[in-house]
Amino acid sequence: MIVLNASGIDELNMIWKRLRNDFQVIESIHLDPTSLQYRMVINQPELTKMLRGVADKVLDRIDLYEDDSLDGTITLKQFNSRIEDKQEKYPSIEPLSKIWEVISETDKKAIFAYLRRELGGSSRENLEEEYVLD
């Protein structure tokens, strides 16, 4: 859990715009009466055991199929497209395609971040593109 404090609401909004793709809101912006600063509490989403199991299965299948489903600079939006299109080109991500429609946006972001981190591609540039679900 991370607490963000700022003297002005504009400062806090600017900080939040940079972090919103990787974090979820626990407490929304409010004025702290003791410090007279604006405060917001955020947290980085974590995977449940079930979702981590599915993600680990994908990692095993990436090694098995060697289909490069997460190689190079890939954004969450591109990854989402690969899963939803159910292309034959990426059989390693099939376990995710079975649950992708029923999990939350936060879980999708957490799975993507976990896979990128496990494959060694966790640089901020790869995760920076804004992702919006319809």
Tab-separated table of all heavy atoms in Angstrom, residues 17-67:
chain	number	residue	atom	x	y	z
A	17	LYS	N	-1.751	10.320	-12.751
A	17	LYS	CA	-1.795	10.052	-14.192
A	17	LYS	C	-0.612	9.205	-14.637
A	17	LYS	O	-0.730	8.400	-15.547
A	17	LYS	CB	-1.825	11.358	-14.985
A	17	LYS	CG	-3.182	12.020	-14.971
A	17	LYS	CD	-3.179	13.298	-15.774
A	17	LYS	CE	-4.527	13.969	-15.660
A	17	LYS	NZ	-4.573	15.232	-16.400
A	18	ARG	N	0.523	9.358	-13.990
A	18	ARG	CA	1.703	8.566	-14.340
A	18	ARG	C	1.645	7.151	-13.770
A	18	ARG	O	2.258	6.242	-14.295
A	18	ARG	CB	2.965	9.250	-13.850
A	18	ARG	CG	3.239	10.528	-14.583
A	18	ARG	CD	4.484	11.162	-14.109
A	18	ARG	NE	4.672	12.430	-14.804
A	18	ARG	CZ	5.819	13.002	-14.968
A	18	ARG	NH1	6.896	12.456	-14.467
A	18	ARG	NH2	5.905	14.140	-15.613
A	19	LEU	N	0.915	6.979	-12.688
A	19	LEU	CA	0.888	5.690	-12.005
A	19	LEU	C	-0.357	4.859	-12.271
A	19	LEU	O	-0.389	3.673	-11.949
A	19	LEU	CB	1.007	5.908	-10.489
A	19	LEU	CG	2.270	6.583	-9.984
A	19	LEU	CD1	2.162	6.825	-8.486
A	19	LEU	CD2	3.490	5.748	-10.306
A	20	ARG	N	-1.371	5.433	-12.850
A	20	ARG	CA	-2.674	4.765	-12.920
A	20	ARG	C	-2.680	3.475	-13.728
A	20	ARG	O	-3.542	2.633	-13.515
A	20	ARG	CB	-3.736	5.713	-13.449
A	20	ARG	CG	-3.613	6.040	-14.901
A	20	ARG	CD	-4.713	6.941	-15.349
A	20	ARG	NE	-4.460	7.352	-16.716
A	20	ARG	CZ	-4.926	8.436	-17.236
A	20	ARG	NH1	-5.675	9.229	-16.512
A	20	ARG	NH2	-4.652	8.745	-18.473
A	21	ASN	N	-1.737	3.304	-14.642
A	21	ASN	CA	-1.715	2.077	-15.424
A	21	ASN	C	-1.210	0.883	-14.637
A	21	ASN	O	-1.512	-0.253	-14.982
A	21	ASN	CB	-0.860	2.264	-16.682
A	21	ASN	CG	-1.501	3.210	-17.659
A	21	ASN	OD1	-2.713	3.300	-17.739
A	21	ASN	ND2	-0.681	3.927	-18.391
A	22	ASP	N	-0.440	1.129	-13.602
A	22	ASP	CA	0.166	0.031	-12.849
A	22	ASP	C	-0.393	-0.147	-11.443
A	22	ASP	O	-0.001	-1.078	-10.746
A	22	ASP	CB	1.680	0.247	-12.743
A	22	ASP	CG	2.344	0.270	-14.103
A	22	ASP	OD1	1.884	-0.458	-14.991
A	22	ASP	OD2	3.314	1.025	-14.274
A	23	PHE	N	-1.281	0.751	-11.002
A	23	PHE	CA	-1.789	0.704	-9.637
A	23	PHE	C	-3.300	0.823	-9.616
A	23	PHE	O	-3.914	1.278	-10.578
A	23	PHE	CB	-1.177	1.834	-8.796
A	23	PHE	CG	0.294	1.668	-8.544
A	23	PHE	CD1	1.235	2.151	-9.445
A	23	PHE	CD2	0.745	1.016	-7.418
A	23	PHE	CE1	2.592	1.991	-9.236
A	23	PHE	CE2	2.100	0.848	-7.185
A	23	PHE	CZ	3.014	1.336	-8.089
A	24	GLN	N	-3.893	0.444	-8.494
A	24	GLN	CA	-5.334	0.606	-8.299
A	24	GLN	C	-5.571	1.466	-7.057
A	24	GLN	O	-4.759	1.496	-6.143
A	24	GLN	CB	-6.016	-0.738	-8.150
A	24	GLN	CG	-5.553	-1.554	-6.971
A	24	GLN	CD	-6.101	-2.959	-6.986
A	24	GLN	OE1	-6.602	-3.433	-7.987
A	24	GLN	NE2	-6.010	-3.633	-5.856
A	25	VAL	N	-6.695	2.158	-7.040
A	25	VAL	CA	-7.022	3.076	-5.951
A	25	VAL	C	-7.617	2.304	-4.780
A	25	VAL	O	-8.538	1.514	-4.947
A	25	VAL	CB	-8.030	4.143	-6.435
A	25	VAL	CG1	-8.462	5.035	-5.288
A	25	VAL	CG2	-7.443	4.963	-7.558
A	26	ILE	N	-7.069	2.547	-3.603
A	26	ILE	CA	-7.620	1.996	-2.367
A	26	ILE	C	-8.495	3.067	-1.698
A	26	ILE	O	-9.620	2.806	-1.315
A	26	ILE	CB	-6.505	1.540	-1.391
A	26	ILE	CG1	-5.577	0.531	-2.059
A	26	ILE	CG2	-7.089	0.993	-0.110
A	26	ILE	CD1	-6.219	-0.760	-2.493
A	27	GLU	N	-7.953	4.275	-1.543
A	27	GLU	CA	-8.703	5.433	-1.043
A	27	GLU	C	-8.565	6.540	-2.071
A	27	GLU	O	-7.454	6.893	-2.457
A	27	GLU	CB	-8.120	5.948	0.277
A	27	GLU	CG	-8.406	5.107	1.477
A	27	GLU	CD	-7.799	5.726	2.734
A	27	GLU	OE1	-7.723	6.972	2.829
A	27	GLU	OE2	-7.393	4.962	3.600
A	28	SER	N	-9.676	7.098	-2.495
A	28	SER	CA	-9.604	8.162	-3.499
A	28	SER	C	-9.062	9.449	-2.865
A	28	SER	O	-8.871	9.532	-1.647
A	28	SER	CB	-10.974	8.402	-4.123
A	28	SER	OG	-11.890	8.784	-3.132
A	29	ILE	N	-8.854	10.448	-3.683
A	29	ILE	CA	-8.269	11.717	-3.230
A	29	ILE	C	-9.198	12.389	-2.224
A	29	ILE	O	-10.392	12.533	-2.458
A	29	ILE	CB	-8.032	12.659	-4.424
A	29	ILE	CG1	-7.035	12.033	-5.399
A	29	ILE	CG2	-7.546	14.017	-3.950
A	29	ILE	CD1	-6.858	12.812	-6.684
A	30	HIS	N	-8.615	12.779	-1.096
A	30	HIS	CA	-9.359	13.534	-0.095
A	30	HIS	C	-8.387	14.430	0.683
A	30	HIS	O	-7.178	14.205	0.679
A	30	HIS	CB	-10.128	12.611	0.850
A	30	HIS	CG	-9.266	11.703	1.674
A	30	HIS	ND1	-8.756	10.524	1.196
A	30	HIS	CD2	-8.809	11.822	2.943
A	30	HIS	CE1	-8.030	9.945	2.135
A	30	HIS	NE2	-8.036	10.717	3.201
A	31	LEU	N	-8.913	15.431	1.325
A	31	LEU	CA	-8.115	16.354	2.112
A	31	LEU	C	-7.943	15.794	3.517
A	31	LEU	O	-8.918	15.520	4.215
A	31	LEU	CB	-8.767	17.734	2.165
A	31	LEU	CG	-7.995	18.831	2.880
A	31	LEU	CD1	-6.671	19.100	2.171
A	31	LEU	CD2	-8.815	20.106	2.935
A	32	ASP	N	-6.702	15.598	3.926
A	32	ASP	CA	-6.389	15.098	5.263
A	32	ASP	C	-6.486	16.275	6.234
A	32	ASP	O	-5.711	17.231	6.131
A	32	ASP	CB	-4.999	14.484	5.275
A	32	ASP	CG	-4.665	13.792	6.584
A	32	ASP	OD1	-5.545	13.710	7.456
A	32	ASP	OD2	-3.508	13.340	6.721
A	33	PRO	N	-7.418	16.238	7.181
A	33	PRO	CA	-7.616	17.392	8.069
A	33	PRO	C	-6.447	17.671	9.009
A	33	PRO	O	-6.249	18.803	9.434
A	33	PRO	CB	-8.875	17.035	8.866
A	33	PRO	CG	-9.084	15.587	8.685
A	33	PRO	CD	-8.360	15.171	7.458
A	34	THR	N	-5.646	16.672	9.335
A	34	THR	CA	-4.534	16.904	10.266
A	34	THR	C	-3.349	17.582	9.587
A	34	THR	O	-2.742	18.474	10.159
A	34	THR	CB	-4.062	15.580	10.901
A	34	THR	OG1	-3.710	14.664	9.871
A	34	THR	CG2	-5.153	14.977	11.763
A	35	SER	N	-3.030	17.166	8.364
A	35	SER	CA	-1.866	17.743	7.690
A	35	SER	C	-2.232	18.812	6.665
A	35	SER	O	-1.355	19.488	6.138
A	35	SER	CB	-1.069	16.639	6.987
A	35	SER	OG	-1.833	16.081	5.946
A	36	LEU	N	-3.524	18.929	6.364
A	36	LEU	CA	-4.026	19.861	5.359
A	36	LEU	C	-3.377	19.630	3.996
A	36	LEU	O	-3.138	20.552	3.225
A	36	LEU	CB	-3.855	21.318	5.799
A	36	LEU	CG	-4.651	21.710	7.042
A	36	LEU	CD1	-4.344	23.143	7.437
A	36	LEU	CD2	-6.140	21.518	6.801
A	37	GLN	N	-3.108	18.359	3.706
A	37	GLN	CA	-2.595	17.963	2.397
A	37	GLN	C	-3.582	16.989	1.765
A	37	GLN	O	-4.330	16.302	2.467
A	37	GLN	CB	-1.225	17.288	2.530
A	37	GLN	CG	-0.114	18.232	2.883
A	37	GLN	CD	1.245	17.571	2.641
A	37	GLN	OE1	1.361	16.357	2.580
A	37	GLN	NE2	2.255	18.405	2.499
A	38	TYR	N	-3.555	16.954	0.441
A	38	TYR	CA	-4.385	16.002	-0.269
A	38	TYR	C	-3.721	14.639	-0.203
A	38	TYR	O	-2.509	14.521	-0.307
A	38	TYR	CB	-4.598	16.445	-1.721
A	38	TYR	CG	-5.491	17.652	-1.807
A	38	TYR	CD1	-4.952	18.929	-1.847
A	38	TYR	CD2	-6.865	17.502	-1.806
A	38	TYR	CE1	-5.766	20.041	-1.901
A	38	TYR	CE2	-7.693	18.615	-1.863
A	38	TYR	CZ	-7.139	19.881	-1.915
A	38	TYR	OH	-7.950	20.980	-1.957
A	39	ARG	N	-4.548	13.614	-0.014
A	39	ARG	CA	-4.017	12.284	0.223
A	39	ARG	C	-4.761	11.278	-0.645
A	39	ARG	O	-5.954	11.388	-0.860
A	39	ARG	CB	-4.214	11.940	1.694
A	39	ARG	CG	-3.766	10.582	2.062
A	39	ARG	CD	-3.932	10.334	3.538
A	39	ARG	NE	-3.430	8.994	3.797
A	39	ARG	CZ	-3.840	8.245	4.770
A	39	ARG	NH1	-4.735	8.675	5.605
A	39	ARG	NH2	-3.346	7.045	4.934
A	40	MET	N	-4.011	10.283	-1.091
A	40	MET	CA	-4.580	9.192	-1.883
A	40	MET	C	-3.810	7.926	-1.542
A	40	MET	O	-2.589	7.955	-1.419
A	40	MET	CB	-4.443	9.519	-3.369
A	40	MET	CG	-4.958	8.491	-4.296
A	40	MET	SD	-4.701	9.080	-5.992
A	40	MET	CE	-5.913	8.107	-6.823
A	41	VAL	N	-4.510	6.821	-1.401
A	41	VAL	CA	-3.873	5.546	-1.094
A	41	VAL	C	-4.061	4.625	-2.301
A	41	VAL	O	-5.180	4.443	-2.785
A	41	VAL	CB	-4.478	4.903	0.169
A	41	VAL	CG1	-3.802	3.580	0.486
A	41	VAL	CG2	-4.363	5.851	1.352
A	42	ILE	N	-2.935	4.072	-2.776
A	42	ILE	CA	-2.972	3.178	-3.928
A	42	ILE	C	-2.244	1.889	-3.594
A	42	ILE	O	-1.526	1.804	-2.601
A	42	ILE	CB	-2.343	3.841	-5.177
A	42	ILE	CG1	-0.872	4.203	-4.932
A	42	ILE	CG2	-3.137	5.050	-5.609
A	42	ILE	CD1	-0.145	4.730	-6.146
A	43	ASN	N	-2.432	0.894	-4.442
A	43	ASN	CA	-1.783	-0.392	-4.242
A	43	ASN	C	-1.549	-1.034	-5.601
A	43	ASN	O	-2.339	-0.845	-6.521
A	43	ASN	CB	-2.668	-1.295	-3.389
A	43	ASN	CG	-1.930	-2.479	-2.834
A	43	ASN	OD1	-0.708	-2.545	-2.893
A	43	ASN	ND2	-2.677	-3.425	-2.281
A	44	GLN	N	-0.476	-1.787	-5.720
A	44	GLN	CA	-0.211	-2.503	-6.959
A	44	GLN	C	-0.996	-3.813	-6.915
A	44	GLN	O	-0.941	-4.544	-5.927
A	44	GLN	CB	1.278	-2.780	-7.113
A	44	GLN	CG	1.634	-3.232	-8.488
A	44	GLN	CD	3.116	-3.086	-8.766
A	44	GLN	OE1	3.919	-3.085	-7.849
A	44	GLN	NE2	3.465	-2.974	-10.026
A	45	PRO	N	-1.746	-4.108	-7.982
A	45	PRO	CA	-2.549	-5.333	-7.972
A	45	PRO	C	-1.676	-6.583	-7.913
A	45	PRO	O	-0.596	-6.619	-8.495
A	45	PRO	CB	-3.329	-5.273	-9.285
A	45	PRO	CG	-2.664	-4.256	-10.121
A	45	PRO	CD	-1.869	-3.370	-9.215
A	46	GLU	N	-2.160	-7.582	-7.203
A	46	GLU	CA	-1.428	-8.841	-7.088
A	46	GLU	C	-2.300	-9.968	-7.614
A	46	GLU	O	-3.523	-9.899	-7.590
A	46	GLU	CB	-1.068	-9.116	-5.629
A	46	GLU	CG	-0.058	-8.138	-5.073
A	46	GLU	CD	0.386	-8.501	-3.679
A	46	GLU	OE1	0.271	-9.685	-3.306
A	46	GLU	OE2	0.848	-7.609	-2.981
A	47	LEU	N	-1.661	-11.002	-8.075
A	47	LEU	CA	-2.373	-12.145	-8.617
A	47	LEU	C	-2.845	-13.080	-7.513
A	47	LEU	O	-2.140	-13.300	-6.535
A	47	LEU	CB	-1.454	-12.937	-9.550
A	47	LEU	CG	-1.033	-12.261	-10.835
A	47	LEU	CD1	-0.056	-13.153	-11.590
A	47	LEU	CD2	-2.223	-11.955	-11.700
A	48	THR	N	-4.023	-13.649	-7.711
A	48	THR	CA	-4.477	-14.713	-6.825
A	48	THR	C	-3.711	-15.975	-7.193
A	48	THR	O	-3.046	-16.038	-8.224
A	48	THR	CB	-5.988	-14.954	-6.993
A	48	THR	OG1	-6.228	-15.389	-8.338
A	48	THR	CG2	-6.798	-13.712	-6.678
A	49	LYS	N	-3.815	-16.996	-6.361
A	49	LYS	CA	-3.108	-18.249	-6.640
A	49	LYS	C	-3.587	-18.867	-7.951
A	49	LYS	O	-2.801	-19.419	-8.712
A	49	LYS	CB	-3.297	-19.235	-5.487
A	49	LYS	CG	-2.522	-18.858	-4.257
A	49	LYS	CD	-2.690	-19.888	-3.169
A	49	LYS	CE	-1.925	-19.461	-1.932
A	49	LYS	NZ	-2.073	-20.439	-0.847
A	50	MET	N	-4.883	-18.773	-8.215
A	50	MET	CA	-5.431	-19.347	-9.442
A	50	MET	C	-4.878	-18.620	-10.665
A	50	MET	O	-4.428	-19.247	-11.626
A	50	MET	CB	-6.962	-19.245	-9.426
A	50	MET	CG	-7.653	-19.964	-10.585
A	50	MET	SD	-7.854	-19.051	-12.141
A	50	MET	CE	-8.924	-17.737	-11.691
A	51	LEU	N	-4.866	-17.290	-10.634
A	51	LEU	CA	-4.365	-16.522	-11.771
A	51	LEU	C	-2.857	-16.702	-11.953
A	51	LEU	O	-2.360	-16.770	-13.077
A	51	LEU	CB	-4.715	-15.045	-11.621
A	51	LEU	CG	-6.197	-14.705	-11.706
A	51	LEU	CD1	-6.429	-13.225	-11.465
A	51	LEU	CD2	-6.780	-15.120	-13.046
A	52	ARG	N	-2.135	-16.805	-10.850
A	52	ARG	CA	-0.694	-17.059	-10.938
A	52	ARG	C	-0.445	-18.437	-11.554
A	52	ARG	O	0.475	-18.618	-12.349
A	52	ARG	CB	-0.024	-16.973	-9.571
A	52	ARG	CG	1.488	-17.098	-9.653
A	52	ARG	CD	2.130	-16.979	-8.293
A	52	ARG	NE	1.822	-15.712	-7.667
A	52	ARG	CZ	2.641	-14.662	-7.666
A	52	ARG	NH1	3.793	-14.745	-8.266
A	52	ARG	NH2	2.292	-13.555	-7.071
A	53	GLY	N	-1.288	-19.412	-11.222
A	53	GLY	CA	-1.166	-20.744	-11.808
A	53	GLY	C	-1.374	-20.719	-13.320
A	53	GLY	O	-0.640	-21.370	-14.067
A	54	VAL	N	-2.370	-19.964	-13.774
A	54	VAL	CA	-2.616	-19.844	-15.212
A	54	VAL	C	-1.441	-19.139	-15.882
A	54	VAL	O	-0.976	-19.549	-16.955
A	54	VAL	CB	-3.945	-19.102	-15.484
A	54	VAL	CG1	-4.118	-18.818	-16.964
A	54	VAL	CG2	-5.124	-19.906	-14.964
A	55	ALA	N	-0.944	-18.071	-15.255
A	55	ALA	CA	0.194	-17.334	-15.819
A	55	ALA	C	1.439	-18.224	-15.874
A	55	ALA	O	2.185	-18.184	-16.862
A	55	ALA	CB	0.472	-16.084	-15.001
A	56	ASP	N	1.653	-19.033	-14.850
A	56	ASP	CA	2.802	-19.946	-14.852
A	56	ASP	C	2.659	-21.006	-15.948
A	56	ASP	O	3.642	-21.400	-16.575
A	56	ASP	CB	2.969	-20.620	-13.486
A	56	ASP	CG	3.514	-19.667	-12.437
A	56	ASP	OD1	4.125	-18.638	-12.817
A	56	ASP	OD2	3.323	-19.941	-11.231
A	57	LYS	N	1.435	-21.441	-16.187
A	57	LYS	CA	1.194	-22.393	-17.271
A	57	LYS	C	1.545	-21.761	-18.620
A	57	LYS	O	2.130	-22.407	-19.486
A	57	LYS	CB	-0.255	-22.865	-17.265
A	57	LYS	CG	-0.549	-23.927	-18.276
A	57	LYS	CD	-1.816	-24.660	-17.908
A	57	LYS	CE	-2.004	-25.867	-18.775
A	57	LYS	NZ	-1.494	-27.068	-18.210
A	58	VAL	N	1.199	-20.476	-18.786
A	58	VAL	CA	1.556	-19.758	-20.015
A	58	VAL	C	3.075	-19.678	-20.152
A	58	VAL	O	3.617	-19.897	-21.242
A	58	VAL	CB	0.914	-18.354	-20.046
A	58	VAL	CG1	1.484	-17.505	-21.163
A	58	VAL	CG2	-0.598	-18.465	-20.185
A	59	LEU	N	3.772	-19.392	-19.064
A	59	LEU	CA	5.237	-19.331	-19.109
A	59	LEU	C	5.836	-20.672	-19.526
A	59	LEU	O	6.777	-20.722	-20.324
A	59	LEU	CB	5.801	-18.904	-17.750
A	59	LEU	CG	5.550	-17.452	-17.355
A	59	LEU	CD1	5.955	-17.224	-15.901
A	59	LEU	CD2	6.282	-16.504	-18.281
A	60	ASP	N	5.287	-21.769	-18.992
A	60	ASP	CA	5.761	-23.099	-19.376
A	60	ASP	C	5.505	-23.358	-20.855
A	60	ASP	O	6.344	-23.928	-21.554
A	60	ASP	CB	5.072	-24.184	-18.538
A	60	ASP	CG	5.479	-24.147	-17.079
A	60	ASP	OD1	6.537	-23.544	-16.768
A	60	ASP	OD2	4.730	-24.707	-16.246
A	61	ARG	N	4.338	-22.923	-21.331
A	61	ARG	CA	3.987	-23.151	-22.742
A	61	ARG	C	4.827	-22.273	-23.672
A	61	ARG	O	5.104	-22.668	-24.800
A	61	ARG	CB	2.501	-22.899	-22.948
A	61	ARG	CG	1.634	-23.979	-22.298
A	61	ARG	CD	0.167	-23.628	-22.378
A	61	ARG	NE	-0.312	-23.576	-23.745
A	61	ARG	CZ	-1.106	-24.478	-24.313
A	61	ARG	NH1	-1.502	-25.517	-23.608
A	61	ARG	NH2	-1.505	-24.331	-25.554
A	62	ILE	N	5.217	-21.090	-23.222
A	62	ILE	CA	6.086	-20.237	-24.049
A	62	ILE	C	7.408	-20.941	-24.295
A	62	ILE	O	7.924	-20.934	-25.412
A	62	ILE	CB	6.288	-18.852	-23.387
A	62	ILE	CG1	5.024	-18.021	-23.520
A	62	ILE	CG2	7.472	-18.117	-24.004
A	62	ILE	CD1	5.054	-16.703	-22.773
A	63	ASP	N	7.955	-21.574	-23.247
A	63	ASP	CA	9.194	-22.337	-23.406
A	63	ASP	C	8.981	-23.536	-24.321
A	63	ASP	O	9.845	-23.874	-25.130
A	63	ASP	CB	9.716	-22.812	-22.049
A	63	ASP	CG	10.218	-21.675	-21.187
A	63	ASP	OD1	10.547	-20.608	-21.740
A	63	ASP	OD2	10.284	-21.845	-19.958
A	64	LEU	N	7.833	-24.186	-24.197
A	64	LEU	CA	7.544	-25.377	-24.981
A	64	LEU	C	7.330	-25.057	-26.460
A	64	LEU	O	7.931	-25.668	-27.340
A	64	LEU	CB	6.311	-26.085	-24.416
A	64	LEU	CG	5.841	-27.327	-25.154
A	64	LEU	CD1	6.858	-28.450	-24.993
A	64	LEU	CD2	4.480	-27.759	-24.615
A	65	TYR	N	6.468	-24.072	-26.740
A	65	TYR	CA	6.114	-23.755	-28.119
A	65	TYR	C	7.094	-22.793	-28.797
A	65	TYR	O	7.137	-22.727	-30.013
A	65	TYR	CB	4.708	-23.156	-28.194
A	65	TYR	CG	3.624	-24.161	-27.945
A	65	TYR	CD1	2.912	-24.165	-26.755
A	65	TYR	CD2	3.299	-25.107	-28.909
A	65	TYR	CE1	1.906	-25.083	-26.530
A	65	TYR	CE2	2.304	-26.032	-28.696
A	65	TYR	CZ	1.601	-26.020	-27.505
A	65	TYR	OH	0.615	-26.925	-27.289
A	66	GLU	N	7.810	-22.022	-28.001
A	66	GLU	CA	8.743	-21.020	-28.526
A	66	GLU	C	8.083	-20.148	-29.586
A	66	GLU	O	8.613	-19.926	-30.662
A	66	GLU	CB	10.000	-21.700	-29.097
A	66	GLU	CG	10.791	-22.444	-28.057
A	66	GLU	CD	12.008	-23.152	-28.612
A	66	GLU	OE1	12.196	-23.163	-29.843
A	66	GLU	OE2	12.761	-23.708	-27.805
A	67	ASP	N	6.883	-19.638	-29.264
A	67	ASP	CA	6.122	-18.855	-30.241
A	67	ASP	C	6.320	-17.349	-30.123
A	67	ASP	O	5.699	-16.585	-30.842
A	67	ASP	CB	4.637	-19.192	-30.167
A	67	ASP	CG	4.021	-18.845	-28.818
A	67	ASP	OD1	4.729	-18.307	-27.946
A	67	ASP	OD2	2.829	-19.128	-28.634
